[in-house]
Amino acid sequence: MAADKLRVNIFDMVVSIARVIDMMSPVVGNHHMQVAYLAYRLGEQLQLSADQKYELFLAGSLHDIGAFSLQDRLDLLEFEDTKPGEHSVAGSFILETFTPFSSIARLIKFHHVHWKNGEGHYQNGESVPNGSHIIHLADRVAVKISRKAPVLSQVRDICREISEHKGDVFVPEYVDALINMANREHIWLDIMSGSMEEILKRTVLYRTKELTIEEMVDFSRLVCRLIDFKSKFTAAHSNGVAAVAVELSRLSGFSKHERRLIEIAAYLHDLGKLAIPSEILDKQDKLTDNERFIMRSHVYHTYRVLEPLEMLRVAGSWGALHQERLNGTGYPFGLTSDELPLGSRIMAVADVFTALTENRPYRKGMDTKDTKAVLQSMVDAGELDNSLVDVVFKHYAKMNDIRDSAQKEATRDYHVFQTVLQR
């Protein structure tokens, strides 16, 4: 394997994203995994090819990633949401930028289209993939399953209700496939087992791909959009952190490969915010104690989600530890200087610098004097690496220009994203 390539388990990447999104509320549960499993089993029943079934698994695992707020997610747990299109378009827009996910982006874009006795072949002049209708059926079956009664006692009523919408909402052939597999009790028990990831690992013929480091940067940018586009207040934050971290790592002697890893770390450093409802991220008033603790948990989620991904172990740890402090006062692990690698120290400085200097919709960024004062106070308190802050001070104007340029570009992307949603 070439030095600039990484062996990547796409299954692990997808499941990691789905897992953190479903952490938003216990009510959501393992919804993404349930839909992925049901869609895959429907693909088996329909005798689809291995590639088609694999795409159903991927699309099912990520189908609601465009639902950013807790209320959006709860609305989608209703049997038929009243405004399903926006989150589908949002998810598709973000996923299509990463080549390995471009095909499933279309499945997700149309996964709430009704069949309408054949009219659902198209929507707004675009052809709707068959897989979109399978995901729709799997999704609506999953939301009908209640935790308050044994799942096997619910199967007959679920199939009856789905059958009532045969032809108008769902493709008749796919409803027939559901009915034909309904007596396979293990499928329903699997869905409610609480071990969906392990079951999917045994069920899905998942693949390892060889991606270049640049493609991994593209993947991390995709995740970055998922994170930052949740809130207009943070729409460009990770891009600013990435730009500053890369320049700071260059000035600190990192190789080109290491700078790519630090860029990945920066794009992923707030991954755990996918588990934080946008109602909290968007709040301008002071957070309540409970909201503050929920917010603080995002770095823990980042660490735990990235920890199993071998190909992201170094970059993941650099990014996930960005709230640790050299004197042990950081979180979530309370690590000290002896335990924090240089990559994590760079991430901490880049994150603080960006947070201080960036503009937010509700306030202007700090000027040079005030920013330097805060950074120096954190050095004096033993929180940030003195040598790295010195580098920032020596190259302050360039650092700030790099951050500003990166964030302006990210803000333009965010405005394009909002325009797409409003069409």
Side-chain angles (χ1 to χ4, degrees):
M1 183 175 66
D4 68 335
K5 290 191 175 182
L6 301 169
R7 290 195 64 77
V8 173
N9 189 318
I10 298 292
F11 179 98
D12 286 342
M13 288 167 56
V14 167
V15 168
S16 293
I17 296 173
R19 187 191 311 130
V20 72
I21 295 172
D22 280 347
M23 288 176 186
M24 195 180 293
S25 170
V27 177
V28 173
N30 291 318
H31 180 68
H32 279 99
M33 293 295 93
Q34 290 176 339
V35 173
Y37 179 78
L38 275 170
Y40 191 88
R41 289 301 193 190
L42 284 168
E44 285 182 332
Q45 188 69 33
L46 292 164
Q47 299 184 330
L48 300 185
S49 69
D51 285 344
Q52 289 172 316
K53 289 185 293 184
Y54 189 65
E55 285 197 345
L56 287 174
F57 156 71
L58 294 177
S61 299
L62 300 174
H63 70 284
D64 280 345
I65 62 168
F68 294 144
S69 74
L70 178 57
Q71 189 58 55
D72 286 342
R73 294 300 309 278
L74 295 178
D75 286 346
L76 291 170
L77 294 182
E78 299 298 324
F79 183 65
E80 274 302 334
D81 180 42
T82 56
K83 50 172 186 176
E86 185 173 295
H87 83 280
S88 304
V89 173
S92 174
F93 179 86
I94 291 170
L95 286 173
E96 68 186 6
T97 60
F98 183 53
T99 302
F101 289 170
S102 58
S103 60
I104 68 169
R106 284 189 57 77
L107 299 190
I108 288 171
K109 182 177 182 179
F110 300 108
H111 81 271
H112 276 284
V113 173
H114 289 195
W115 180 239
K116 295 181 180 178
N117 298 308
E119 291 181 21
H121 271 305
Y122 299 93
Q123 186 179 63
N124 299 326
E126 293 186 68
S127 62
V128 176
N130 293 334
S132 297
H133 290 291
I134 295 175
I135 298 296
H136 185 205
L137 176 58
D139 184 29
R140 298 300 90 189
V141 170
V143 302
K144 289 299 297 177
I145 299 173
S146 170
R147 298 172 181 270
K148 298 178 181 179
V151 66
L152 296 180
S153 71
Q154 303 174 54
V155 174
R156 181 181 299 176
D157 287 342
I158 290 172
C159 289
R160 176 186 53 77
E161 186 165 355
I162 292 293
S163 295
E164 289 174 356
H165 297 281
K166 181 178 178 179
D168 60 335
V169 176
F170 306 114
V171 177
E173 180 187 359
Y174 302 162
V175 175
D176 291 342
L178 174 70
I179 303 304
N180 289 334
M181 75 178 200
N183 63 349
R184 294 164 63 187
E185 293 187 358
H186 74 95
I187 290 178
W188 305 96
L189 294 171
D190 280 346
I191 291 170
M192 300 303 290
S193 69
S195 305
M196 287 304 307
E197 287 185 33
E198 293 304 315
I199 291 169
L200 280 164
K201 280 184 178 180
R202 296 194 298 269
T203 305
V204 177
L205 182 62
Y206 57 92
R207 304 149 188 205
T208 300
K209 290 189 61 130
E210 198 172 82
L211 298 181
T212 66
I213 192 71
E214 296 299 330
E215 288 173 319
M216 282 307 301
V217 170
D218 287 342
F219 168 73
S220 63
R221 284 198 189 103
L222 177 157
V223 177
C224 172
R225 284 184 168 193
L226 286 176
I227 301 161
D228 285 2
F229 284 8
K230 277 173 67 77
S231 170
K232 63 182 179 181
F233 298 151
T234 60
H237 175 70
S238 294
N239 284 272
V241 174
V244 173
V246 169
E247 179 63 11
L248 187 52
S249 66
R250 184 187 71 81
L251 294 169
S252 300
F254 274 36
S255 67
K256 182 178 179 181
H257 180 78
E258 289 171 326
R259 295 198 298 273
R260 281 289 178 256
L261 291 180
I262 205 79
E263 185 175 8
I264 292 171
Y267 286 136
L268 298 179
H269 81 285
D270 276 342
L271 174 63
K273 283 186 178 177
L274 293 178
I276 310 300
S278 56
E279 288 89 342
I280 293 178
L281 296 175
D282 284 344
K283 188 174 181 180
Q284 295 186 51
D285 297 330
K286 183 178 180 181
L287 299 181
T288 66
D289 285 345
N290 283 344
E291 290 169 339
R292 183 167 52 84
F293 289 131
I294 290 171
M295 180 68 85
R296 282 171 67 98
S297 71
H298 84 274
V299 284
Y300 173 83
H301 295 320
T302 299
Y303 186 87
R304 291 303 182 206
V305 168
L306 294 176
E307 187 181 26
L309 303 182
E310 184 69 34
M311 67 283 187
L312 292 174
R313 184 148 298 168
V314 173
S317 66
W318 287 351
L321 300 179
H322 70 277
Q323 289 290 354
E324 299 291 337
R325 297 294 180 251
L326 302 184
N327 61 3
T329 61
Y331 58 91
F333 302 110
L335 302 180
T336 59
S337 57
D338 293 341
E339 302 166 290
L340 291 171
L342 181 56
S344 298
R345 298 173 185 222
I346 288 173
M347 283 300 307
V349 173
D351 184 60
V352 173
F353 176 82
T354 302
L356 294 175
T357 55
E358 67 188 351
N359 293 324
R360 299 273 177 95
Y362 55 89
R363 57 107 171 132
K364 293 282 290 181
M366 285 187 184
D367 61 20
T368 302
K369 180 181 177 181
D370 289 341
T371 300
K372 285 185 174 181
V374 172
L375 289 171
Q376 187 59 55
S377 70
M378 294 182 75
V379 168
D380 294 342
E383 296 177 345
L384 297 180
D385 189 305
N386 183 39
S387 62
L388 293 174
V389 172
D390 278 347
V391 172
V392 172
F393 286 175
K394 290 176 183 176
H395 302 273
Y396 187 95
K398 184 176 182 181
M399 289 280 192
N400 205 31
D401 285 345
I402 288 173
R403 175 204 56 78
D404 185 57
S405 178
Q407 292 193 303
K408 282 179 178 175
E409 181 178 353
T411 299
R412 286 193 291 271
D413 288 344
Y414 178 70
H415 289 323
V416 170
F417 172 70
Q418 290 296 317
T419 300
V420 169
L421 295 188
Q422 293 165 11
R423 286 176 184 167

